[in-house]
């Protein structure tokens, strides 16, 4: 049966109250990427970076999954084929909605990583700089999220999924950041049908066979209903 690969971005969590990056009031309108989302920024001022992620971690902890997350969990449950979610988001709202197969290519706010020995552990709500690694004791604890200039996680697995996809959907992403922005081309090369679901057509919308616009909490449940009743 048809295999689906669904890429999600910040737009799917917007109606759960979590900010996007490039919308008017987005995170990158209020913070400089080079200060809070690069290894160099962390080396320069770890306190600033921890404060940025602590605020997002505390906010994400009280956020609830919305109808779009729930619709994708229903699709994973009821679709007779494989449905893999690849998310750029570092919140855990797909899992909170009941999704099982979620690949976090940019890591998660819930994770902490030792920059010295690569040990990973469950981050406290508020990470402090200079926190010793539970294994090697180096004071090199950092958020386990992928910063600009770093390689996203699980790329081999993601490309394997794209190569065997029959349907690729991109939901709530501006398609500005590679490699995720190039996934639609990989899927097309594999012969997959492609659909973008977004508040408004993204700059990369022309690469998709179909573009559905509207808030994710409306457009995604409608799309899932159609898939589950009409099969496509
Ligand atoms: N419903 C659907 N789409 C929405 C909604 C909504 N309610 N609100 C916003 N959007 C759309 C916007 O129109 C935009 O196209 O979601 C998209 C959000 O784009 P970005 O803010 O660029 O977020 P994203 O695409 O996830 O960014 C990708 O960039 O900064 C890095 O690591 C960061 O993972 C992030 C990556």
């Amino acid at each position: 049966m048809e295999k689906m690969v669904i890429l999600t971005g910040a737009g799917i969590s917007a109606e759960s109250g979590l900010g996007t990056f490039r919308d008017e009031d987005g995170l990158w309108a209020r913070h400089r990427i080079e200060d809070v989302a690069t290894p160099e920024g962390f080396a320069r001022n770890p306190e600033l970076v921890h404060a940025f992620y602590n605020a997002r971690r505390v906010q994400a902890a009280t956020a609830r999954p919305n109808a779009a997350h729930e619709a994708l969990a229903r699709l994973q449950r009821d679709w007779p084929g494989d449905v893999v979610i690849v998310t750029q988001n570092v919140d855990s709202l797909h899992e909170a909605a009941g999704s099982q197969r979620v690949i976090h290519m940019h890591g998660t706010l819930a994770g902490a990583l030792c920059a010295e020995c690569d040990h990973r552990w469950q981050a406290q709500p508020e990470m402090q700089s200079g926190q010793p690694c539970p294994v090697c004791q180096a004071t090199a604890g950092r958020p386990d999220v992928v910063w600009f200039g770093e390689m996203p996680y699980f790329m081999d697995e993601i490309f394997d999924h794209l190569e065997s996809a029959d349907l690729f959907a991109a939901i709530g992403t501006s398609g500005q950041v590679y490699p995720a922005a190039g996934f639609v081309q990989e899927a097309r090369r594999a012969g997959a049908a492609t659909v973008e679901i977004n508040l408004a057509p993204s700059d990369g919308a022309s690469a998709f066979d179909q573009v559905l616009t509207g808030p994710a909490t409306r457009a995604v449940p409608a799309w899932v209903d159609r898939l589950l009743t009409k099969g496509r």
Side-chain angles (χ1 to χ4, degrees), residues 9-11 14-15 20-23 28 88 106 148 172-174 177 198-199 214-216:
E15 290 161 270
T20 61
F21 293 94
R22 295 172 182 83
D23 287 330
W28 298 149
Q88 301 171 95
H106 289 165
F148 285 88
T173 180
S174 60
V177 176
N198 216 45
L199 194 57

Side-chain angles (χ1 to χ4, degrees), residues 9 14 23 31 58 69 119 135 202 223 227:
D23 287 330
H31 302 273
V58 168
H69 299 104
H119 173 62
V135 167
S202 74
W223 175 66
L227 281 173

